[in-house]
Amino acid sequence: MNTYHVATDRLNPVTLQVTTSYLGTVDQDHTDRVRALADGESAGRAVKEDPRQPGAFMVLREDGGLDVYFPVDAEPYVIREPDPDPGPGGADLVRRTPTGPAYIEGALRFGGQSVGGAPDRPDSGARVTWHSTESPAGRAYLYSIAAYLIRVGAEPQVIYDPVSDLLGQFGPLTSSGRALRNDGSRRTNREGIVNIQVEVLGRAASPWTKGFVPADRPNYRRLIAAARKHGVPDVWPAGKPAASASAARRPREIWQSRGGHYSHSQVPGNDHWDPGGINTAVVPGPLPATTPSRPSTGGGPQGGGSQGAVTTYTVKKGDTLSAIAGRYGTTWQVLAQLNGLKKPDEVRVGQKLKLPGAAAPQPVYEPFPGTDFFRAGRRSPVITALGRRLVALGFGKHYTSGPSPEWGIADQRNVAEFQLSRAELRDDADGVPGPKTWAALKVPKV
């Protein structure tokens, strides 16, 4: 019968470094019970296998802790320091350096902030690679998942919880992560001038973008803005992410040559299908409104006028079209089309480029269906969308399953708690949405 070492990892709330408490040893019967309890619907825990050590596993706890179970007779897996130097293909790093920020404003900084190194293939396009943690979501789980990723040495640069909008980093965006497998001898973690890997709390089978409204998530918007500043185009070169494991496609030629957004399911050399069929209208989402600057000298944007006008930018030494696009909230394809560039990789110092203005994107929400709509037995996809929106806002504790399309007491109780949380709605806290409550909920259109 196997024997296991047991320890608990926790992130220190001040330093955000992992501290480990060793608890002793347990037998196989004990670990079997641990797994069974964690699988219970109301346990508030989730099992994660150790991807690098056969037999070892961890339990994510809803209080932010991480219980670690490691076979006594197993050789410990050694997590080595990252190689700071680029591999083959990175010889032109002096000419190509990242243009965006190393850290996102407001991001928590987990661990030692040293998980990767310089890019191997800086000319293959700036990119974001999206993962899902295959775990519950929520504020506490952000900390236990962060401890897990540090424990197994599989940290991305970014971790994001769509429920609480908490955002963390394990290292700078300008350095590689280590959440991908190599594709043969080619290091996928170091593909592109930046490869910003994002682990989003959630499961591939239930994509986190359902009911997600970026307008209510400032940290998410900061994450997308940082990617754009690095010149990541607002495109999915390999198409929409796979909605099932069998649908995963990993086009090597596209991955190795084009920047943009990718799912883990689209990366060659890997076999996961996360983050599932996330909504590409949400990720990365529409461009924010841009307000043209007043006339100025130097390399900044020039021109004035109202929102939506066209301004110009004077190309400076070291500029690339994708970097300029990211800096001004657009894509290199838009700039190339606007300026009639047949060879977008050949911009010249001193060249004047037109910059497009943009109208503010208007989120599309369900119109108020009327107070009489919310009565016992009413079935509608709008009620499902309402329930998902309540869950996304943190007001879903009365759902034992679902949300479902049928209006019920759980919906009413969750709405009442949402109303009580807003001073302007407390007088209407009967659990039935009125016009003011509905406007505040911002239920996405179905």
Side-chain angles (χ1 to χ4, degrees):
M1 182 174 288
N2 292 332
T3 303
Y4 293 79
H5 293 295
V6 186
T8 296
D9 286 354
R10 282 189 178 278
L11 283 162
N12 183 292
V14 177
T15 66
L16 297 180
Q17 302 288 324
V18 174
T19 58
T20 301
S21 301
Y22 181 67
L23 303 177
T25 60
V26 296
D27 61 19
Q28 184 72 52
D29 286 342
H30 182 93
T31 60
D32 289 344
R33 290 196 299 273
V34 166
R35 285 178 176 274
L37 287 170
D39 286 339
E41 290 186 3
S42 60
R45 302 190 173 199
V47 172
K48 293 284 286 183
E49 305 297 334
D50 189 323
R52 306 189 190 277
Q53 183 61 61
F57 69 97
M58 281 144 265
V59 177
L60 308 171
R61 292 174 19 183
E62 62 181 347
D63 64 357
L66 179 74
D67 293 338
V68 181
Y69 294 84
F70 192 93
V72 168
D73 58 355
E75 288 292 328
Y77 178 82
V78 177
I79 299 173
R80 304 187 184 281
E81 287 298 311
D83 176 7
D85 298 321
D92 63 349
L93 280 173
V94 174
R95 183 172 64 84
R96 296 289 309 278
T97 54
T99 57
Y103 287 93
I104 303 165
E105 180 187 356
L108 302 167
R109 299 190 187 186
F110 295 120
Q113 295 296 300
S114 178
V115 297
D120 291 348
R121 313 277 176 171
D123 285 328
S124 62
R127 64 198 59 214
V128 177
T129 304
W130 295 89
H131 306 249
S132 59
T133 57
E134 300 308 296
S135 73
R139 178 185 297 268
Y141 289 111
L142 182 86
Y143 291 87
S144 56
I145 278 286
Y148 167 79
L149 292 169
I150 292 170
R151 162 71 68 166
V152 301
E155 304 99 312
Q157 293 97 326
V158 178
I159 184 171
Y160 177 68
D161 174 39
V163 174
S164 66
D165 195 41
L166 278 179
L167 183 73
Q169 286 186 232
F170 297 97
L173 305 183
T174 49
S175 185
S176 64
R178 52 184 178 193
L180 294 172
R181 295 178 185 171
N182 290 348
D183 181 22
S185 62
R186 189 152 174 151
R187 299 193 291 188
T188 52
N189 288 302
R190 302 195 186 210
E191 193 75 49
I193 185 64
V194 291
N195 181 2
I196 301 169
Q197 297 187 57
V198 184
E199 285 274 6
V200 181
L201 270 67
R203 301 184 188 276
S206 182
W208 60 270
T209 51
K210 289 182 179 178
F212 183 84
V213 180
D216 297 334
R217 295 292 186 265
N219 276 337
Y220 173 76
R221 298 198 305 274
R222 291 185 184 107
L223 165 60
I224 296 299
R228 285 172 173 152
K229 288 178 181 176
H230 276 286
V232 178
D234 287 357
V235 296
W236 287 81
K240 292 184 177 181
S244 66
S246 62
R249 299 290 181 269
R250 309 175 196 277
R252 182 172 286 110
E253 183 179 353
I254 292 175
W255 168 260
Q256 293 180 357
S257 63
R258 296 174 61 184
H261 292 261
Y262 290 88
S263 67
H264 194 180
S265 64
Q266 295 169 335
V267 181
N270 289 250
D271 59 6
H272 293 190
W273 69 281
D274 60 303
I278 59 174
N279 187 347
T280 55
V282 172
V283 183
L287 291 169
T290 58
T291 304
S293 304
R294 295 183 181 278
S296 63
T297 59
Q302 299 172 0
S306 61
Q307 213 167 25
V310 176
T311 62
T312 61
Y313 174 84
T314 303
V315 177
K316 297 180 292 184
K317 185 177 180 181
D319 275 342
T320 64
L321 197 64
S322 61
I324 296 167
R327 211 174 298 151
Y328 293 103
T330 185
T331 67
W332 68 264
Q333 292 96 331
V334 169
L335 288 186
Q337 183 177 11
L338 185 62
N339 290 277
L341 301 178
K342 295 182 178 179
K343 295 183 177 180
D345 56 337
E346 295 182 5
V347 291
R348 306 182 309 277
V349 174
Q351 181 179 1
K352 290 189 182 296
L353 298 175
K354 298 175 184 177
L355 299 176
Q362 298 298 315
V364 179
Y365 303 121
E366 274 294 327
F368 178 54
T371 305
D372 291 343
F373 180 84
F374 302 100
R375 53 181 173 78
R378 166 78 74 178
R379 294 181 64 86
S380 169
V382 173
I383 293 171
T384 305
L386 167 63
R388 288 173 175 165
R389 181 67 180 137
L390 288 164
V391 170
L393 292 171
F395 296 93
K397 75 177 186 181
H398 294 290
Y399 293 127
T400 57
S401 62
S404 81
E406 183 171 338
W407 176 257
I409 190 64
D411 299 293
Q412 189 167 353
R413 288 172 176 171
N414 288 328
V415 170
E417 291 192 358
F418 172 79
Q419 290 169 325
L420 288 169
S421 74
R422 304 286 185 100
E424 71 276 16
L425 301 176
R426 286 174 190 158
D427 291 342
D428 301 324
D430 58 359
V432 177
K436 288 196 299 182
T437 297
W438 193 258
L441 281 164
K442 298 178 180 177
V443 177
K445 193 168 183 63
V446 297

